[in-house]
């Protein structure tokens, strides 16, 4: 759903396969593609959506109902985030390494195309999220701390280290946690939500506000709220579903 709540995207089953749709307060329900397609995320300004044409990731211009493929090769992909202006998309490709399926995260922009991300270390990739301004991409892994990739400096930082630097030692003690969503901006600071799993105890949701405050100028779009923790769940399920199809 767009930040102002006026536009929603998704997919419905027509019998022969899913069909991408958008709904807005001005146009109502509109099917944006008549073939096998889906829309899974929408930019904060409501202008762009990301999803799939067949098994290929695509970005839609929702004002013209046209799309651009983010990858021309068939494969097993997930899309899990889009920046507020629609210029940056994040997701993963599931590939076989040896005898195991492994998720390789990536980001996409119109100028760079799809760029794989390889943090210093991690477990099995489960989800990526992107900040509204497109600068930061979080990478969550099983049995490992999440990483934050700064596209401006092309550097990775462990989230546990970031939290400690921000004066949050209690949160930084945990080495197994994920990032579900990043909101906010470089002036007031970024807000991070996710799940902590300290050892073998029950996972616990967390929310941290105002990190990296005062490091930039006010963006054009000012998103409200902390975003949806469902980004982690739906992104993970999409990747797992494509792995499941591949094993058939």
């Amino acid at each position: 759903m767009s930040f102002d709540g006026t536009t929603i995207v998704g997919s419905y089953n027509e019998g022969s396969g899913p069909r991408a749709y958008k709904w807005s307060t001005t146009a109502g329900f509109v099917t944006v593609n008549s073939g096998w397609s889906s829309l899974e995320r929408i930019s904060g300004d409501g202008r762009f959506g990301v999803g799939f044409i067949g098994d290929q990731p695509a970005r839609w211009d929702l004002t013209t109902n046209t799309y651009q493929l983010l990858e021309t090769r068939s494969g097993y992909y997930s899309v899990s985030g889009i920046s507020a202006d629609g210029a940056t998309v994040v997701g993963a490709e599931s590939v076989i390494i040896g005898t195991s399926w492994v998720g390789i995260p990536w980001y996409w922009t119109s100028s760079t195309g799809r760029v794989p991300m390889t943090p210093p270390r991690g477990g099995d990739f489960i989800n990526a999220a992107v900040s509204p301004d497109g600068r930061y991409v979080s990478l969550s892994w099983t049995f490992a701390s999440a990483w934050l990739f700064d596209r401006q400096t092309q550097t990775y930082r462990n989230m546990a280290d970031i939290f400690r630097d921000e004066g949050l030692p209690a949160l930084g003690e945990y080495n197994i946690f994920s990032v579900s969503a990043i909101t906010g901006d470089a002036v007031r600071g970024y807000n991070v939500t996710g799940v902590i799993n300290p050892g073998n105890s029950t996972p616990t949701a967390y929310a941290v506000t105002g990190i990296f405050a005062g490091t930039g100028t006010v963006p054009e779009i000012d998103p409200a709220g902390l975003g949806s923790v469902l980004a982690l769940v739906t992104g993970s399920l999409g990747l797992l579903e494509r792995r499941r199809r591949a094993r058939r």
Side-chain angles (χ1 to χ4, degrees):
M1 183 169 64
S2 60
F3 287 149
D4 63 6
T6 61
T7 309
I8 297 172
V9 297
S11 60
Y12 66 94
N13 197 325
E14 199 177 61
S16 59
R19 300 289 184 268
Y21 76 85
K22 68 177 180 181
W23 177 92
S24 67
T25 54
T26 55
F29 187 94
V30 177
T31 299
V32 299
N33 188 273
S34 60
W36 199 104
S37 57
S38 66
L39 274 167
E40 302 190 8
R41 298 286 186 274
I42 186 173
S43 60
D45 60 12
R47 292 183 55 211
F48 296 95
V50 289
F52 292 90
I53 292 291
D55 60 2
Q56 296 169 304
R59 186 184 74 147
W60 263 269
D61 183 331
L62 297 176
T63 60
T64 60
N65 293 341
T66 57
Y67 65 86
Q68 175 184 9
L69 292 178
L70 307 186
E71 176 56 67
T72 56
R73 294 183 299 111
S74 294
Y76 304 100
Y77 302 96
S78 67
V79 289
S80 54
I82 183 171
S83 59
D85 62 0
T88 306
V89 179
V90 296
E93 179 182 10
S94 189
V95 299
I96 294 180
I97 297 180
T99 59
S100 302
W101 285 93
V102 177
I104 306 297
W106 49 263
Y107 71 86
W108 176 95
T109 69
S110 59
S111 60
T112 64
R114 197 168 63 87
V115 180
M117 290 181 284
T118 55
R121 62 183 182 275
D124 188 16
F125 176 77
I126 54 175
N127 187 63
V130 62
S131 60
D133 58 12
R135 175 173 177 175
Y136 293 103
V137 179
S138 66
L139 305 172
S140 299
W141 311 81
T142 56
F143 309 115
S145 292
W147 291 83
L148 195 69
F149 178 66
D150 185 339
R151 292 202 309 111
Q152 182 172 306
T153 62
Q154 294 289 297
T155 56
Y156 295 89
R157 289 190 65 192
N158 188 288
M159 287 300 297
D161 294 337
I162 292 173
F163 289 152
R164 277 193 290 267
D165 292 346
E166 292 289 321
L168 301 163
L171 188 60
E173 290 173 0
Y174 301 116
N175 291 321
I176 304 174
F177 63 93
S178 63
V179 174
S180 304
I182 310 171
T183 60
D185 58 61
V187 174
R188 289 167 288 272
Y190 297 91
N191 311 309
V192 179
T193 59
V195 178
I196 306 168
N197 186 3
N200 294 320
S201 63
T202 302
T204 304
Y206 72 85
V208 177
T209 61
I211 67 172
F212 303 149
T215 59
T217 57
V218 177
E220 181 178 349
I221 297 173
D222 181 20
L226 288 175
S228 173
V229 178
L230 290 176
L232 173 66
V233 178
T234 54
S236 302
L237 289 177
L239 188 57
L240 290 173
E241 173 63 15
R242 286 173 176 80
R243 292 181 184 174
R244 182 182 66 81
R245 293 175 184 169
R247 296 190 180 101
R248 289 178 177 174

